[in-house]
Amino acid sequence: MRFPDALNCRIAILITAAMMAVPVAALAENDPKNDPRVIPPPAAQKKLPEAPSKLPKVGADRARGLDFLFGALKAAPDEASAKHVEARIWAQWMQTPSDTAALLMLRAKAAMDAQKTDVALKLLDAVVKLRPDYIEGWNRRATVYYLKNDYVHSLEDIRQVLAREPRHFGALAGLGMIMQEYGDEKHALEAFRQALAVNPRLEKIPDPKNGGKENPQRHLLRKRANAKCFQSNRDSPKG
């Protein structure tokens, strides 16, 4: 199944808007911490959607499996069913034919768990260089950059992820969270809408008015996002 060109176009526009929203000083220094307008949230509150610690085994037909799983994710009747399908999608994304890349990813995860972000970053640099076609190498590195408050490089890696997999709800949610950091609620909502269109039960959508903590009224944001999604689908010309 090919993803609609219209969605690819919307994501490209969203990424462009995101890059333009980054403060000029941050672009110059490649470090948002150097810009006095950027107030990073406490590290303990910075959390992106990520793969579960335990993942199911995946089948051989990866592309066909993902198409089926994304359909099942949208149709999931309850939270438990959605979590099961979501874990299978993460398992597909995490799979790599390179034993070396897989080992580097494990070591990077251990470094991140130990809050050794600089070590994790070096390991993920090696993953991306070794397997530039491996989506989760880019996505995991985007997460590390985000945790380091380096939103410029995080956005660049998110762009690499979405160029290869526009349905990556984790990267889309991360894009929205970066937009929230810069106070761009319009594009943050658009990114979350895209993520929720793929994964309607996606969690870890934060509330910027609640100190960056997970929004206790997340269903309201989901309702707004899904309403916009419904409106865009209704207004689309019938093929």
Side-chain angles (χ1 to χ4, degrees):
M1 181 180 74
R2 290 182 59 83
F3 215 64
D5 290 340
L7 180 54
N8 288 329
C9 182
R10 288 199 297 272
I11 289 174
I13 293 172
L14 194 56
I15 287 286
T16 300
M19 296 301 292
M20 292 177 65
V22 177
V24 174
L27 285 172
E29 299 295 335
N30 276 342
D31 187 353
K33 292 182 293 184
N34 294 332
D35 191 322
R37 293 171 291 179
V38 178
I39 304 176
Q45 295 179 359
K46 294 171 73 67
K47 185 71 173 177
L48 296 176
E50 60 183 1
S53 56
K54 294 184 179 179
L55 295 172
K57 294 182 179 180
V58 299
D61 191 350
R62 184 175 183 276
R64 182 180 178 185
L66 277 174
D67 290 342
F68 172 80
L69 289 172
F70 277 115
L73 186 61
K74 282 188 176 182
D78 52 49
E79 196 82 17
S81 300
K83 285 298 178 188
H84 176 71
V85 176
E86 183 180 312
R88 292 178 64 187
I89 291 174
W90 279 111
Q92 294 270 20
W93 283 338
M94 291 295 295
Q95 189 181 36
T96 172
S98 170
D99 292 339
T100 302
L103 179 60
L104 289 169
M105 289 289 286
L106 286 173
R107 290 179 176 175
K109 178 65 164 61
M112 290 172 68
D113 290 343
Q115 298 185 349
K116 297 179 179 179
T117 53
D118 290 336
V119 174
L121 190 57
K122 290 181 180 179
L123 291 165
L124 292 167
D125 286 344
V127 172
V128 168
K129 184 176 180 179
L130 177 67
R131 299 290 304 196
D133 58 334
Y134 180 43
I135 294 171
E136 278 312 299
W138 295 102
N139 186 58
R140 187 64 59 84
R141 196 173 72 170
T143 298
V144 174
Y145 279 133
Y146 175 80
L147 294 174
K148 290 170 67 67
N149 301 318
D150 186 345
Y151 302 139
V152 174
H153 284 109
S154 185
L155 284 170
E156 289 174 351
D157 281 1
I158 286 173
R159 178 166 53 186
Q160 294 288 342
V161 174
L162 295 176
R164 293 164 172 81
E165 176 52 273
R167 300 170 294 188
H168 201 299
F169 45 81
L172 287 166
L175 174 59
M177 292 170 73
I178 291 175
M179 289 295 90
Q180 283 189 328
E181 299 286 1
Y182 288 118
D184 189 344
E185 291 298 315
K186 177 182 177 181
H187 289 109
L189 180 60
E190 172 63 14
F192 291 142
R193 183 188 72 79
Q194 297 283 1
L196 291 169
V198 176
N199 185 355
R201 298 182 184 274
L202 182 64
E203 295 182 351
K204 300 195 187 308
I205 292 180
D207 183 358
K209 297 181 179 63
N210 191 30
K213 297 179 181 178
E214 187 174 350
N215 188 351
Q217 303 296 324
R218 190 178 67 246
H219 64 282
L220 294 178
L221 178 57
R222 179 179 290 116
K223 184 176 180 181
R224 288 176 64 193
N226 286 339
K228 284 195 172 186
C229 183
F230 172 77
Q231 182 68 35
S232 63
N233 289 338
R234 189 181 64 179
D235 293 343
S236 298
K238 301 296 186 294

